[in-house]
């Protein structure tokens, strides 16, 4: 090769590159043929994404994104928020929350709750999507279904206030023993096992949605698995559902209420959890609403989009391990930490996420008390950050515990950007002010749950979201018997207060009990509330009337409409 | 040949059994369980769930039941999507990953071979430097970055054109596939380019090329018949595992471009400790990989007479 003149090798390289060019051409033809074949193949499989347009006025249709494939549309078993969102559009129960978040009639046109019974009178024009009337029997069947042990419903315990429900769930009584009956097809009488003042608020939850027996049996164990395996009672039906890809909702022609379901179509055109991808779909005018995450908030701000905020009702707090032998069992130790953590600093200066509120109480801002909000009626106590006081508490704790110096304390957290910032802040503040050494133990979801359950932590970043619209959904968390009390806090006083909150029937008495629970959490430093989570999002300017909810469908399009002039 | 094939198949089945067993015990050794959730359930409800899924039985019994079921091709029902059979999940979502994977591997293989040949041809001249620089980029930049950048690029192109040139995400037509497939195949293409280049350069100095030259064969003929054909061999070797890797490794691309492929289920199942889906996808992919490797070995004998197996 080396003997050849440069001239000759250049010409041969030219002829070779011409040959290579021919191969390129063949390759392109090959790829084009392959693309055509694959296109045909993909078309055959029927997995195509519906053509998405953020807002389509002509067809009265909008497109949106779902964060994940809805795992469970069988209402007796659903627990997660994505399923809750879809169920909120396709199903309706006895009662619902209106646009002002007040309890309002739905399939039941009126209702009554007494200490022993709850009675619901069903409207006669409510129909299933196949045109048959919705009757009391459909509710009875659904509730019995959720309670049967073999169903394995995680939220069956929400039905326990009904007579015999718990025994049925234990398998001690047959499902037919449930304390519900229908004197006529449009009246549902529920016998309560104990007085429960807020039973009407609980029936809004998906577990209480109706299921029709003949339809359920006809699906042969596939109820809720596909669009055809569902019978709809709400304003929308699922027109097509391509697993993992898209879900198209269409107005239910048999739905009774003309004030809901104004949009003819809701096209959940994409299913992805990726925040950047979601924002790209929004920019490309493919979806009408996009949730903003910490990582793409700055871009939205730079583009000067009108950013909306909403508190999603979840509170986050620092949990102490109250188990025997743990440092944090010592009250003065907990008080020392209480006196150095400034949650306003955390929310406004450290995490700096819009919509977040500094934590003051286990009970978030939005809960209703007797007349005003619970927090207005029972303001939460707060402490001023004071490191001198904190050091004094810590010295006391050290003496009581008989320690020469404090050992390393483990902080269990999840592994995501927001948790990382918070745990590093905690580590830094506790080191600087109290000289405590914190070891951050980051764990992914299931591993963290396992460690939480086993009590393998000193401190824990915990959180709680509501199941139903009553302060008790938070209030019973630190009962000694509650398994979600991860630190195993146990106090006779707390248990007594929770008993009152559960069993009293007069609202003022109950709210007073919640006020006392809030005070007890503060006095005994059971936990340290850190913040109430906020959600930020952007909406297409022509889409109006989207309701964000703390309970139920987080994003509710059932009242939404398109305003072409906006 | 037949005996060899049979031997490989038996060994393949053993490998898959080993994968299934290792995954089963490994998965159960991971702390946490598929039934735990943000909110704890009461002891009664937990017991009901354990009974429903057979998790209350001893591990070895579960293993026996499990082996019996997979030998009949039944992977059970998913823990997170309770009403769906794992078989259905694989059946519905694997073809999508496969289509995307085929396209990606075609991009990767054709691109790798052609770019590799080109760089070898223009060794140490500017096309070589430029392509090799891009190759280093392609190998070292992770796919989530490439995916996000290319998607942003698509948004900007569409906004600039005022119409949809290519969809930003979703699935269904060939237009949905092109960019995701390129992103998915990029690192393999880069790897193959390097491989192709070095094997081309190695072959230039072999005796048979010299013989061909001395026989006075035209340059183009030496190039296509002797150089290219022999240089492709190592590429074919890595293609088998690469196909399996690409069809399984599509997780990031599938999430970013909202493509309903199996890669998503594969990764999410592990995060959720969804035992049945983990087992189903792992065994399925394991079997797929083993099959591809056997296939490549058999193909190898067909392409290269030097490694033809003696019966």
């Amino acid at each position: 090769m080396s003997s050849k003149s440069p001239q000759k090798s250049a010409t041969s390289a030219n002829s070779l590159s011409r040959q290579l060019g021919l191969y390129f051409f063949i390759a392109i033809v090959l790829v084009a043929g392959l693309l055509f074949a694959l296109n045909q193949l993909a078309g055959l499989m029927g997995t195509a994404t519906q053509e998405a347009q953020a807002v389509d006025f002509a067809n009265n249709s909008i497109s949106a994104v779902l964060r994940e494939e809805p795992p469970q549309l069988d209402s007796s078993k659903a627990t997660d928020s994505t399923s809750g969102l879809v169920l909120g559009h396709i199903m309706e129960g006895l009662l619902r929350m209106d646009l002002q978040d007040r309890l309002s009639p739905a399939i039941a046109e009126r209702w009554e709750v007494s200490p022993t019974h709850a009675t619901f009178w069903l409207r006669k024009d409510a129909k299933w999507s196949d045109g048959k009337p919705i009757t009391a029997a459909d509710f009875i069947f659904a509730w019995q279904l959720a309670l049967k042990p073999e169903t394995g419903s995680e939220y069956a315990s929400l039905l326990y206030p009904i007579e015999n429900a718990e025994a049925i769930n234990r398998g001690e009584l047959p499902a037919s023993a449930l304390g519900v009956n229908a004197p006529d097809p449009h009246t549902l009488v529920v016998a309560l096992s104990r007085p429960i003042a807020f039973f009407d608020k609980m029936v809004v939850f998906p577990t209480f949605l109706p299921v029709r027996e003949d339809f359920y049996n006809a699906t042969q164990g596939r109820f809720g698995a596909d669009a055809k395996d569902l019978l709809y009672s709400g304003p929308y039906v699922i027109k097509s559902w391509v697993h993992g890809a898209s879900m198209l909702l269409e107005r239910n022609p048999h739905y009774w209420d003309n004030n809901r379901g104004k949009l003819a179509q809701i096209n959940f055109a994409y299913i992805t959890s990726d925040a950047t991808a979601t924002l790209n779909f929004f920019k490309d005018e493919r979806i009408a609403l996009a949730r903003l995450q910490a990582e793409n908030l700055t871009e939205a701000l730079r583009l000067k989009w009108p950013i909306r905020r909403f508190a999603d009702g979840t509170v986050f707090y620092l949990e102490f391990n109250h188990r025997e032998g743990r440092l944090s069992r010592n009250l003065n130790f907990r008080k020392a930490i209480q006196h150095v953590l400034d949650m306003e600093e955390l929310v406004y200066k450290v995490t700096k996420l819009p919509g977040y509120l500094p934590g003051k109480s286990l009970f978030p801002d939005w809960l209703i008390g007797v007349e005003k909000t619970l927090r207005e009626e029972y303001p939460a106590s707060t402490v001023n950050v004071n490191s001198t006081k904190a050091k004094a508490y810590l010295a006391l704790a050290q003496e009581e515990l008989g320690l020469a110096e404090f050992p390393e304390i483990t902080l269990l957290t999840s592994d995501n950007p927001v948790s990382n910032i918070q745990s590093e802040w905690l580590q830094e503040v506790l080191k600087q002010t109290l000289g405590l050494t914190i070891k951050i133990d980051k764990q992914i979801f299931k591993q963290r749950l396992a460690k939480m359950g086993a009590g393998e932590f000193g401190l824990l970043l915990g959180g709680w979201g509501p199941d139903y619209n009553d302060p008790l959904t938070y209030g019973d968390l630190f009962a000694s018997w509650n398994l979600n009390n991860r630190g195993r806090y146990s106090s006779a006083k707390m248990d007594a207060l929770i008993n009152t909150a559960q069993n009293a029937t007069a609202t003022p008495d109950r709210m007073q009990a919640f006020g006392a629970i809030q005070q007890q959490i503060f006095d005994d430093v059971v936990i340290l509330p850190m913040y109430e989570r906020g959600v930020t999002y952007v909406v297409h300017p022509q889409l109006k009337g989207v309701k964000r909810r703390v309970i139920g469908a987080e994003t509710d399009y059932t009242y939404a409409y398109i305003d072409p002039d906006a | 040949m037949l005996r060899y094939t049979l031997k490989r198949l038996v060994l393949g089945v053993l490998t898959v059994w080993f994968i299934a067993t290792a995954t089963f015990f490994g998965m159960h050794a991971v702390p946490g369980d598929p039934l735990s959730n943000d909110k704890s359930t009461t002891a009664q409800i937990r017991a009901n769930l354990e009974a429903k899924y057979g998790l209350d039985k001893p591990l070895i019994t579960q293993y026996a039941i499990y082996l019996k079921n997979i030998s009949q091709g039944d992977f059970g029902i998913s823990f997170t999507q309770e009403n769906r059979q794992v078989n259905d999940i694989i059946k519905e979502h694997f073809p999508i990953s496969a289509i995307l994977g085929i396209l990606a591997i075609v991009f990767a293989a054709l691109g790798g071979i052609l770019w590799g040949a080109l760089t070898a041809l223009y060794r140490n001249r500017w096309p070589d430097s430029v392509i090799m620089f891009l190759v280093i980029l392609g190998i070292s930049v992770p796919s989530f970055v490439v995916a996000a950048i290319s998607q942003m690029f698509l948004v900007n192109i569409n906004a600039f054109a005022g119409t949809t040139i290519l969809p930003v995400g979703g699935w269904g037509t060939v237009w949905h596939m092109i960019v995701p497939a390129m992103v998915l195949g990029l690192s393999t293409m880069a790897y193959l380019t390097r491989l192709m280049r070095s094997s081309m350069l190695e072959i230039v100095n072999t005796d048979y090329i010299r013989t061909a030259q001395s026989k006075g064969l035209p340059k183009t003929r030496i190039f296509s018949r002797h150089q290219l054909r022999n240089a492709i061999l190592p590429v074919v070797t890595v293609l088998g595992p690469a196909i399996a890797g690409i069809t399984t490794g599509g997780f990031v691309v599938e999430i970013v471009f909202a493509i309903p492929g199996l890669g998503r289920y594969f990764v999410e199942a592990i995060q959720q400790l969804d035992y049945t889906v983990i087992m189903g996808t792992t065994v399925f992919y394991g079997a797929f990989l083993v099959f591809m490797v056997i296939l490549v070995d058999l193909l190898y004998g067909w392409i290269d007479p030097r490694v033809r197996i003696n019966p």
Side-chain angles (χ1 to χ4, degrees):
Chain A
M1 293 287 275
S2 55
S3 64
K4 293 201 172 108
S5 69
Q7 181 70 39
K8 203 177 169 195
S9 99
T11 44
S12 68
N14 271 341
S15 70
L16 286 186
S17 63
R18 224 174 298 135
Q19 176 122 10
L20 211 53
L22 182 73
Y23 287 150
F24 266 113
F25 179 72
I26 294 171
I28 287 167
V29 172
L30 209 80
V31 168
L34 184 79
L35 282 174
F36 179 75
L38 291 180
N39 191 23
Q40 298 298 312
L41 207 63
L44 280 180
M45 291 195 299
T47 46
T49 305
Q50 282 282 337
E51 203 44 57
Q53 199 179 334
V55 165
D56 178 358
F57 180 65
N59 295 314
N60 192 17
S61 147
I62 62 152
S63 296
V65 65
L66 282 180
R67 240 182 315 170
E68 56 178 346
E69 160 95 353
Q72 184 57 275
L73 292 186
D74 176 347
S75 53
S76 64
K77 289 189 275 195
T79 56
D80 67 289
S81 62
T82 308
S83 302
L85 193 156
V86 175
L87 285 170
H89 289 81
I90 61 173
M91 295 299 284
E92 185 169 72
L94 292 167
L95 305 174
R96 66 168 183 243
M97 306 307 281
D98 66 8
L99 277 174
Q100 283 73 44
D101 291 314
R102 289 171 313 211
L103 200 59
S104 74
I107 289 176
E109 42 189 7
R110 59 196 177 91
W111 71 98
E112 228 175 61
V113 182
S114 78
T116 56
H117 285 85
T119 311
F120 299 88
W121 287 274
L122 276 53
R123 60 176 66 249
K124 302 215 164 58
D125 56 349
K127 291 194 181 86
W128 289 105
S129 52
D130 64 356
K132 292 188 185 161
I134 300 172
T135 65
D138 302 330
F139 290 94
I140 298 177
F141 175 73
W143 301 357
Q144 288 174 342
L145 177 69
L147 284 167
K148 284 181 189 165
E150 61 270 26
T151 304
S153 167
E154 273 182 62
Y155 274 160
S157 52
L158 286 177
L159 295 161
Y160 284 2
I162 305 172
E163 198 175 72
N164 291 338
E166 198 166 348
I168 295 168
N169 199 225
R170 282 182 202 282
E172 290 159 7
L173 282 176
S176 57
L178 187 66
V180 276
N181 69 80
D184 68 76
H186 295 284
T187 311
L188 181 68
V189 182
V190 185
L192 300 174
S193 57
R194 58 182 174 83
I196 172 160
F198 55 96
F199 187 75
D200 50 354
K201 289 181 185 165
M202 292 186 74
V203 303
V204 176
F205 199 77
T207 318
F208 290 83
L209 287 170
V211 176
R212 201 172 76 203
E213 187 172 8
D214 63 324
F215 186 87
Y216 182 87
N217 292 336
T219 57
Q220 296 177 328
R222 288 183 50 84
F223 184 67
D226 265 306
K228 64 170 174 42
D229 298 318
L230 276 162
L231 193 59
Y232 309 91
S233 64
Y236 289 95
V237 301
I238 302 176
K239 176 80 175 162
S240 76
W241 178 7
V242 182
H243 290 289
S246 63
M247 185 179 261
L248 178 67
L249 305 187
E250 234 175 51
R251 197 187 271 145
N252 177 359
H254 293 285
Y255 184 64
W256 63 274
D257 187 354
N258 291 326
N259 291 320
R260 281 178 95 205
K262 290 175 183 153
L263 295 168
Q265 272 191 345
I266 302 168
N267 180 10
F268 292 110
Y270 306 99
I271 296 179
T272 181
S273 55
D274 189 83
T276 314
T278 307
L279 198 67
N280 282 335
F281 291 138
F282 185 78
K283 276 200 239 167
D284 201 42
E285 299 227 359
R286 297 284 143 193
I287 55 170
L289 188 147
R291 185 172 171 165
L292 300 170
Q293 308 278 10
E295 57 261 43
N296 49 32
L297 202 63
T298 38
E299 189 178 2
L301 288 168
R302 188 176 56 80
L303 293 168
K304 296 202 168 64
W305 282 344
I307 293 171
R308 304 197 199 184
R309 304 162 181 200
F310 143 80
D312 75 350
T314 312
V315 286
F316 288 83
Y317 39 80
L318 184 67
E319 260 185 285
F320 296 102
N321 200 338
H322 296 272
R323 287 171 175 80
E324 204 67 57
R326 289 283 178 172
L327 277 183
S328 40
R329 196 175 164 81
N330 183 287
L331 176 62
N332 285 317
F333 178 81
R334 301 197 299 269
K335 281 202 162 161
I337 294 181
Q338 184 182 35
H339 280 83
V340 292
L341 297 181
D342 180 357
M343 301 310 175
E344 302 210 344
E345 179 185 280
L346 171 69
V347 169
Y348 297 134
K349 294 191 181 142
V350 181
T351 50
K352 290 189 285 193
L353 293 168
Y356 279 56
L357 296 173
K360 293 198 169 77
S361 161
L362 172 67
F363 298 103
D365 227 13
W366 58 273
L367 284 169
I368 304 296
V370 185
E371 270 158 16
K372 291 180 281 181
T373 65
L374 180 67
R375 290 268 296 279
E376 281 168 330
E377 286 163 6
Y378 296 92
S381 309
T382 48
V383 291
N384 291 323
V385 171
N386 184 333
S387 61
T388 325
K389 249 182 167 174
K391 279 176 191 147
Y393 279 122
L394 196 70
L396 255 157
Q398 193 167 8
E399 201 183 304
E400 284 167 3
L401 294 163
L403 290 171
E405 63 181 308
F406 282 101
E408 195 178 63
I409 301 152
T410 311
L411 172 67
L412 181 61
T413 82
S414 53
D415 190 6
N416 65 57
V418 180
S419 296
N420 291 347
I421 296 176
Q422 287 162 0
S423 34
E424 279 158 24
W425 174 75
L426 275 168
Q427 190 179 40
E428 185 60 25
V429 170
L430 294 180
K431 181 91 217 170
Q432 292 298 325
T433 54
L434 297 175
L436 294 172
T437 311
I438 304 291
K439 186 183 130 217
I440 298 173
D441 183 12
K442 270 187 227 174
Q443 294 288 341
I444 61 169
F445 185 52
K446 294 284 182 174
Q447 283 65 29
R448 185 171 53 93
L449 291 177
K451 285 198 157 184
M452 275 159 79
E456 287 167 24
F457 62 89
L459 303 170
L460 167 70
L461 291 185
W464 190 255
D467 291 323
Y468 50 89
N469 189 1
D470 185 88
L472 189 63
T473 194
Y474 301 92
D476 68 355
L477 262 178
F478 299 103
S480 57
W481 60 81
N482 193 327
L483 291 177
N484 287 305
N485 172 2
R486 311 284 187 177
R488 296 287 179 268
Y489 174 73
S490 167
S491 118
K493 189 178 172 194
M494 179 66 98
D495 289 354
L497 287 170
I498 290 170
N499 265 320
T500 312
Q502 282 179 333
N503 297 320
T505 46
T507 309
D509 296 348
R510 298 186 65 234
M511 296 306 150
Q512 199 181 1
F514 290 125
I517 290 171
Q518 179 177 265
Q519 192 58 39
Q520 172 70 10
I521 289 174
F522 177 82
D523 292 341
D524 216 11
V525 203
V526 180
I527 53 158
L528 284 175
M530 294 175 75
Y531 59 93
E532 293 178 30
R533 185 165 65 190
V535 169
T536 44
Y537 61 105
V538 281
V539 182
H540 192 282
Q542 292 181 341
L543 178 63
K544 308 279 182 191
V546 178
K547 171 73 184 163
R548 305 295 307 235
R549 292 187 188 282
V550 169
I551 293 160
E554 196 197 15
T555 315
D556 182 352
Y557 297 103
T558 58
Y559 297 94
Y561 58 96
I562 301 171
D563 177 3
D565 304 321
Chain B
M1 189 66 183
L2 188 70
R3 241 182 79 190
Y4 173 76
T5 314
L6 276 177
K7 197 177 129 199
R8 288 299 305 265
L9 283 177
V10 170
L11 276 175
V13 170
L14 271 176
T15 313
V16 173
W17 168 78
F18 181 77
I19 292 172
T21 308
T23 315
F24 183 86
F25 289 104
M27 169 178 91
H28 280 274
V30 171
D33 67 82
L35 301 176
S36 61
N37 217 327
D38 269 331
K39 298 187 174 182
S40 291
T41 51
T42 65
Q44 180 58 45
I45 288 171
R46 199 179 153 86
N48 291 346
L49 282 165
E50 284 184 357
K52 180 178 165 184
Y53 286 103
L55 292 182
D56 50 348
K57 298 187 177 72
L59 197 59
I60 201 78
T61 318
Q62 289 184 43
Y63 175 66
I65 295 172
Y66 175 73
L67 272 193
K68 189 171 146 263
N69 287 342
I70 58 165
S71 66
Q72 293 162 352
D74 177 11
F75 288 115
I77 52 170
S78 160
F79 280 82
T80 43
Q81 298 184 17
E82 286 174 68
N83 292 333
R84 291 183 78 194
Q85 298 275 339
V86 178
N87 290 24
D88 287 345
I89 292 179
I90 294 174
K91 220 166 19 192
E92 281 172 44
H93 300 286
F94 178 67
I96 292 166
S97 293
I99 287 182
L100 193 67
I102 289 170
L103 197 57
I105 210 82
V106 168
F107 276 139
L110 289 180
I113 291 167
L114 291 172
W115 295 129
L118 196 71
T119 48
L121 208 58
Y122 288 92
R123 177 151 74 131
N124 295 335
R125 285 158 62 187
W126 69 266
D128 183 27
S129 321
V130 171
I131 292 171
M132 288 321 280
F133 173 72
L134 293 177
V135 160
I136 297 293
L137 271 188
I139 288 178
S140 50
V141 180
S143 66
F144 61 88
V145 175
V146 183
I149 289 176
S150 53
Q151 193 182 41
M152 206 176 71
F153 193 58
L154 281 179
V155 172
N156 291 337
I157 288 181
N158 288 348
F160 180 73
T163 173
T164 305
I165 307 282
L166 279 175
V168 173
W171 184 251
T173 66
V174 75
W175 308 115
H176 290 97
M177 302 172 193
I178 295 176
V179 175
M182 283 180 172
V183 173
L184 190 56
L186 185 69
S187 64
T188 311
M189 185 201 284
Y191 176 64
L192 291 181
T193 305
R194 282 189 64 120
L195 201 66
M196 188 67 191
R197 179 177 184 266
S198 55
S199 87
M200 281 284 281
L201 292 177
E202 203 178 297
I203 281 164
V204 167
N205 297 322
T206 52
D207 291 342
Y208 58 84
I209 296 289
R210 216 165 292 140
T211 312
Q213 281 169 345
S214 58
K215 272 162 67 184
L217 277 182
K219 264 260 164 200
T220 47
R221 200 172 161 81
I222 296 177
F223 176 70
S224 59
R225 283 291 167 87
H226 297 278
Q227 251 175 292
L228 208 55
R229 208 173 148 184
N230 283 303
I232 281 176
L233 284 172
V235 174
V236 175
T237 321
V238 298
L239 219 50
I243 288 176
I246 276 185
T247 43
T248 51
F251 168 66
V252 169
V253 172
E254 286 172 11
I255 289 281
V256 170
F257 290 97
I259 292 168
L262 192 58
R264 264 159 90 163
Y265 285 84
F266 187 51
V267 175
E268 278 162 13
I270 296 169
Q271 288 165 351
Q272 293 293 330
L273 273 185
D274 188 338
Y275 285 168
T276 45
V277 178
I278 293 179
M279 291 304 298
T281 47
T282 313
V283 170
F284 176 77
Y285 275 139
F288 185 63
L289 178 65
V290 167
F291 176 74
M292 289 315 291
V293 170
I294 295 177
L295 194 71
V296 164
D297 283 357
L298 295 177
L299 267 183
Y300 215 72
W302 178 68
I303 295 175
D304 187 355
R306 286 173 302 180
V307 293
R308 201 156 279 166
I309 291 102
N310 296 316

